Amino acid sequence: MALNLQKKEAIICKIHETATRAVSVVVATLDSIAVNEVTKLRKEARDIGVSIHVIRNTLMRKVIVNTPLACLREILTGQNIVAFSMNQPRDSARIFVKFTKNHEPFKIKGAVFEGKFIPASKINLLSDLPNHKEAIFRLITIMKTSSIGSLIHILHILSNQKNKL
């Protein structure tokens, strides 16, 4: 279906707004994936704050001009599906990695996080990031463990000084 110039501009504005608010973006191929499967994927993604779009490459290239997403330009070939994480950086990567396990033709092409391109071979770096609560828990655990180690070290020094007296 041909789009007139006004419709194209509206699509570009809408996706650009989403792209500028996104904390990470993942691009995958859409070849040989049934529409009902994409609909299920979109519903699951929407539930966790991921916005999924199927957009023409020419329009997507216009969306990413002069943005941190410009590094995606090279992978925008063929039919693509783009996922924008709005809450947690890992969400879009995680949902696509999960979808890939059950849909062989579905291939992740790459991602952008903090303005840096992440190739498909390293997508697990993004999908395995901890969420906010997990990160805080890990930080507290590290602080607790290191403080116990410091306390043991201080007690050891004090006991050595006491023995010298």
Side-chain angles (χ1 to χ4, degrees):
M1 180 176 107
L3 297 173
N4 65 30
L5 186 59
Q6 288 177 333
K7 287 183 181 178
K8 288 179 183 179
E9 287 175 354
I11 291 170
I12 290 170
C13 286
K14 179 184 174 192
I15 304 293
H16 183 74
E17 182 182 318
T18 302
T20 56
R21 291 181 312 152
V23 291
S24 71
V25 178
V26 180
V27 177
T29 60
L30 194 57
D31 300 330
S32 304
I33 304 297
V35 173
N36 64 337
E37 292 298 319
V38 173
T39 303
K40 289 178 192 174
L41 178 65
R42 280 185 166 151
K43 183 195 178 314
E44 186 178 341
R46 197 172 29 250
D47 292 344
I48 61 169
V50 175
S51 179
I52 291 184
H53 298 278
V54 176
I55 181 171
R56 292 181 180 172
N57 293 328
T58 53
L59 298 181
M60 187 63 184
R61 284 187 191 104
K62 290 180 182 184
V63 166
I64 64 175
V65 169
N66 299 325
T67 70
L69 306 178
C71 55
L72 289 174
R73 185 172 177 75
E74 300 300 317
I75 64 169
L76 294 176
T77 58
Q79 272 192 312
N80 295 312
I81 186 166
V82 184
F84 299 91
S85 288
M86 305 315 267
N87 300 323
Q88 301 290 328
R90 71 178 186 174
D91 290 343
S92 58
R94 192 169 269 197
I95 201 157
F96 273 10
V97 167
K98 180 182 171 187
F99 193 76
T100 302
K101 291 178 183 174
N102 297 325
H103 302 84
E104 193 172 313
F106 190 82
K107 302 281 186 227
I108 297 172
K109 290 182 165 186
V112 175
F113 175 56
E114 294 184 343
K116 293 184 176 51
F117 180 75
I118 300 170
S121 60
K122 296 186 178 185
I123 197 69
N124 287 336
L125 294 174
L126 184 58
S127 68
D128 293 340
L129 279 176
N131 67 20
H132 186 73
K133 287 181 182 178
E134 292 168 349
I136 290 173
F137 180 76
R138 287 181 187 180
L139 177 64
I140 290 171
T141 303
I142 290 169
M143 289 171 52
K144 182 178 171 184
T145 304
S146 65
S147 66
I148 290 173
S150 298
L151 179 63
I152 291 171
H153 181 68
I154 291 170
L155 290 175
H156 181 69
I157 291 171
L158 290 175
S159 69
N160 284 342
Q161 288 178 346
K162 185 178 176 183
N163 291 338
K164 290 180 182 177
L165 297 176

